[in-house]
Amino acid sequence: MATTRIEPMTSLQLRVLVIAILSSFVAFLDGAVINVALPAISKELGGGLQLQQWVVDAYLVTLGSLILIAGSLSDVFGRKRVLYAGLIGFGVTSLLCAFAPSGVFLVLARALQGVAGALLVPSSLAIIISRFEGPAQAKAIGRWTAWTGIAMIAGPVVGGLFVDTLGWRWVFVINVIPIAITLVLLMTVHVADRGMGGRVDIAGAILGSLGLAGTVFALIEQGTFGWGSPRVWIPFVVGLLSLAAFFVVETRVKQPMLPLGLFRVHNFWVGNISTFFVYGALSFGPLVVTLFLQQVAGFSAIAAGFVFIPSTLCMLLLSGFFGGLAGRYGPRLFMAIGPVIAAAGFLWLLTMGTDVNYWTTLLPAVLLFGIGLSITVAPLTSAILGAIHPEQAGIASAVNNAVSRIAGLLAVAAIGMIIGGTLDEAGLHRAMVAGALLLLIGGVVSGIGIRNGVPAAEKVQTVTD
């Protein structure tokens, strides 16, 4: 098979790539860095497992529900404007989290932080799509994916260092530095940024947010009150009805935040199904392992965080490589094999008990996990966005990121149902089996459904609908 030569990046492309990586890195890192800080937060502010779940999910509720409308904002008003708003908002809300006097205040601040994070992710990826084409685009997405994936796995390392040396509040304060650097770089990018104009789907945003908030509230609180409690089943029913109304509204408004026509593109809908399962496992598994190592196995925050360094190195070294290969040879094989290898890492942890041997138990598992994700994530992203017309890159990337965040949101909310009331060895093993099943389903969906090569007619069709 003939290969295509990838031209070197221009100065503008390099700055755009760095800005995109830094913008999304902050949002993804903050979603992951919190994992290792949860025991310290709970110890200082109280609240137990429920507070720990809410500190994670308050961020994911607003991020997952508003990232779609943020994608529309990116397309309507321009990528740079939305990035500016997201970066400034994220910096301010990070400081609110850092100085939270109570658990309730922290949860509310995390929800606001998720709003700002929603503005960052789709716009950062959309500016890559607008400045790169062909195999170069796939390679750039691979690099972007590598760093965002690294953020999700390296978060516990960064969090552990700050929690054990300076305190958990510093995991939020540190966000200000990369945000300031990104704002300065963004000022040096002088490109047209007018946007396409149009309206924003406010009704869709409200219904989507209510739907996710209601269902997540029920999943978390059912562990305390049970499904028969009105405090649980009423929010659950309201959430489901809101989600149903959301999809009805999206078929009727002129400019929906979720253009359902996108899902007529084969690789787009198949890739998003795979994304749901893969990223559900990615959010769920490392969080449970990190909590288990600290609360059961007696690891310090730093030690628990450093467990995932091998996975981080795999992502850093290999994701760009596999993204380039997917651009040349098609993503299907990589998207099918990668989740299977990552699932083997979760299953390896079935050998882990309260007396943990790093070299024979944790290291092989995290290496398998890291290699599997390196093979998967860049081809997955390029397969989905490569099927969509560049003019809809903002909303397409927003949909994909919303799917991944919502998957993580629901997976974290379901932790209590899977592990039981307390996290012990049996609960850990149930969690690892659940994570492996999610990954295997994602791999099977990709292997059966993804098509190599995207017909040009498909890309045009999403714009004309």
Side-chain angles (χ1 to χ4, degrees):
M1 180 182 292
T3 59
T4 304
R5 182 174 178 269
I6 300 177
E7 295 293 331
M9 282 189 291
T10 65
S11 173
L12 175 61
Q13 285 179 324
L14 178 60
R15 275 179 288 155
V16 164
L17 182 59
V18 171
I19 289 168
I21 288 172
L22 284 175
S23 299
S24 53
F25 185 86
V26 171
F28 282 96
L29 179 66
D30 205 82
V33 74
I34 197 67
N35 290 357
V36 79
L38 291 174
I41 291 173
S42 180
K43 183 177 181 180
E44 179 178 335
L45 302 180
L49 178 61
Q50 280 184 302
L51 176 65
Q52 292 176 333
Q53 287 177 285
W54 273 118
V55 169
V56 174
D57 271 356
Y59 179 79
L60 291 177
V61 164
T62 51
L63 180 69
S65 58
L66 297 180
I67 203 168
L68 289 173
I69 199 167
S72 297
L73 290 171
S74 174
D75 289 336
V76 170
F77 297 111
R79 282 70 159 133
K80 282 182 64 178
R81 292 186 182 93
V82 175
L83 269 180
Y84 274 125
L87 288 165
I88 294 170
F90 205 89
V92 171
T93 53
S94 293
L95 293 177
L96 289 177
C97 291
F99 294 102
S102 67
V104 172
F105 188 98
L106 177 59
V107 169
L108 293 175
R110 286 282 288 168
L112 292 174
Q113 194 180 35
V115 175
L119 298 176
L120 295 178
V121 179
S123 296
S124 66
L125 190 50
I127 62 173
I128 292 179
I129 303 297
S130 66
R131 294 295 159 187
F132 292 85
E133 295 180 353
Q137 184 186 97
K139 191 172 181 67
I141 290 175
R143 289 171 174 166
W144 178 90
T145 305
W147 284 100
T148 54
I150 287 167
M152 296 181 70
I153 298 174
V157 177
V158 178
L161 286 170
F162 283 112
V163 169
D164 280 350
T165 57
L166 297 173
W168 65 265
R169 297 178 186 276
W170 282 87
V171 304
F172 298 109
V173 174
I174 197 65
N175 288 336
V176 175
I177 295 175
I179 287 173
I181 295 171
T182 310
L183 284 170
V184 171
L185 286 174
L186 194 57
M187 293 176 187
T188 68
V189 176
H190 304 291
V191 295
D193 188 48
R194 293 184 296 273
M196 298 185 295
R199 296 180 178 179
V200 177
D201 180 15
I202 302 297
I206 293 173
L207 288 170
S209 299
L210 284 175
L212 287 175
T215 52
V216 166
F217 183 90
L219 285 171
I220 292 177
E221 297 297 324
Q222 62 79 32
T224 301
F225 299 99
W227 286 106
S229 171
R231 184 170 178 173
V232 174
W233 69 259
I234 290 177
F236 187 67
V237 171
V238 170
L240 292 180
L241 291 176
S242 298
L243 289 175
F246 168 77
F247 285 104
V248 172
V249 166
E250 296 309 279
T251 64
R252 298 186 177 184
V253 297
K254 289 184 178 180
Q255 291 181 293
M257 60 184 280
L258 177 60
L260 297 179
L262 288 172
F263 290 92
R264 288 199 288 271
V265 178
H266 184 86
N267 272 7
F268 187 81
W269 69 262
V270 173
N272 275 293
I273 292 175
S274 181
T275 294
F276 183 86
F277 290 105
V278 169
Y279 276 84
L282 180 59
S283 298
F284 172 78
L287 172 59
V288 173
V289 171
T290 301
L291 292 177
F292 179 86
L293 291 175
Q294 290 185 81
Q295 296 179 180
V296 181
F299 277 48
S300 67
I302 292 177
F306 269 90
V307 163
F308 287 94
I309 280 185
S311 292
T312 303
L313 293 175
C314 287
M315 294 287 292
L316 178 62
L317 296 174
L318 299 177
S319 285
F321 172 72
F322 284 111
L325 289 180
R328 291 187 176 100
Y329 305 115
R332 182 172 60 192
L333 178 63
F334 304 100
M335 291 172 61
I337 292 176
V340 175
I341 296 174
F346 278 166
L347 294 177
W348 192 284
L349 290 176
L350 294 177
T351 64
M352 186 167 74
T354 56
D355 186 13
V356 179
N357 185 306
Y358 175 78
W359 299 104
T360 61
T361 304
L362 285 173
L363 181 59
V366 297
L367 283 175
L368 287 169
F369 186 60
I371 292 170
L373 288 179
S374 301
I375 296 171
T376 304
V377 287
L380 175 62
T381 305
S382 60
I384 292 170
L385 297 185
I388 300 299
H389 195 282
E391 288 186 7
Q392 288 185 305
I395 188 60
S397 63
V399 170
N400 183 235
N401 278 285
V403 169
S404 63
R405 287 333 113 207
I406 291 168
L409 169 70
L410 296 176
V412 170
I415 285 177
M417 297 174 60
I418 295 172
I419 68 174
T422 58
L423 179 56
D424 54 16
E425 184 177 335
L428 171 73
H429 292 171
R430 287 194 295 273
M432 294 303 97
V433 170
L437 286 175
L438 290 174
L439 287 166
L440 290 173
I441 292 171
V444 170
V445 167
S446 297
I448 295 174
I450 289 295
R451 297 171 181 171
N452 288 332
V454 179
E458 272 195 336
K459 291 188 177 183
V460 174
Q461 184 65 35
T462 65
V463 176
T464 57
D465 284 346

